[in-house]
Amino acid sequence: MQSLSHLIRETIPNYFRDLPVPDSFTGIFSLSFSDLIRLTPLIAAISGSTYYTVRALRGPKEESSTTGKVSKRAKVNLNIKKDNPKVVDTCDIEEIGSKKVFCRCWRSKSFPYCDGSHTEHNKVTGDNVGPLIIKKGD
C-alpha cells in the first residue's frame, strides 16, 4: 500500500512536472528524440482511453458470417442468393396451409422460412427482429 501511495503522491506528479510539453502544436517538431520518448507513456494512455471510449459509444457491432469481419454497418443479407441482384421469393396463398413463418433477419438456413436464427442475431446485435407469421383466419 505504501508503494501505491508513493506512486500517486510523488512519482506521477514528478513525471507530469518534468514532461517537455510544447507550447503549441508546431512546437512538437522542436522536441528532441529523448523528449518524444518521455512523452510516449502519456500519449499512449490518452490514445488508449480515447479509443476505448469511442469504441464503447459506437454501440454493438455485427459480424459478417461470410468474411468474419466486424462492421457496424454490416449488410443485412450476408449469404442468401448473393448471385442475384435482388432476392425475391413468392409463396402461393394456397400453399400456406394454416400457418407459415417467414424470416425477417436474413440469417435463416431455410430462407425465406424462419428457423429461429433471429434469436442469436438479437443477442449479438441488440436488435429485436422476429419472424413474419402468416396464418389463415378462422
Side-chain angles (χ1 to χ4, degrees):
M1 192 67 174
Q2 195 170 18
S3 61
L4 180 62
S5 174
H6 181 269
L7 179 72
I8 292 171
R9 293 180 186 204
E10 294 181 33
T11 306
I12 293 176
N14 289 340
Y15 170 73
F16 285 124
R17 190 178 317 107
D18 296 337
L19 276 180
V21 179
D23 293 332
S24 66
F25 181 76
T26 56
I28 201 162
F29 299 112
S30 65
L31 294 175
S32 68
F33 183 73
S34 64
D35 289 341
L36 291 173
I37 295 298
R38 288 175 48 207
L39 283 173
T40 300
L42 178 64
I43 292 169
I46 292 170
S47 301
S49 61
T50 302
Y51 170 77
Y52 284 108
T53 301
V54 169
R55 186 174 170 195
L57 293 175
R58 286 181 60 196
K61 296 179 182 178
E62 188 171 319
E63 185 173 326
S64 168
S65 64
T66 57
T67 63
K69 293 182 179 177
V70 175
S71 170
K72 184 174 180 171
R73 298 179 191 190
K75 292 181 178 182
V76 173
N77 180 6
L78 301 178
N79 55 14
I80 297 169
K81 300 180 186 177
K82 295 303 279 185
D83 54 326
N84 293 345
K86 184 192 293 187
V87 177
V88 177
D89 291 293
T90 60
C91 182
D92 189 346
I93 195 79
E94 300 300 325
E95 296 174 4
I96 288 181
S98 62
K99 175 172 121 176
K100 285 284 185 204
V101 183
F102 292 93
C103 175
R104 292 195 301 169
C105 73
W106 291 83
R107 305 301 185 267
S108 175
K109 302 289 185 245
S110 59
F111 192 86
Y113 303 106
C114 178
D115 67 358
S117 297
H118 59 273
T119 305
E120 182 62 26
H121 165 78
N122 289 345
K123 285 180 191 174
V124 170
T125 64
D127 205 350
N128 65 347
V129 70
L132 169 64
I133 301 172
I134 298 179
K135 60 183 181 177
K136 284 189 176 178
D138 296 328

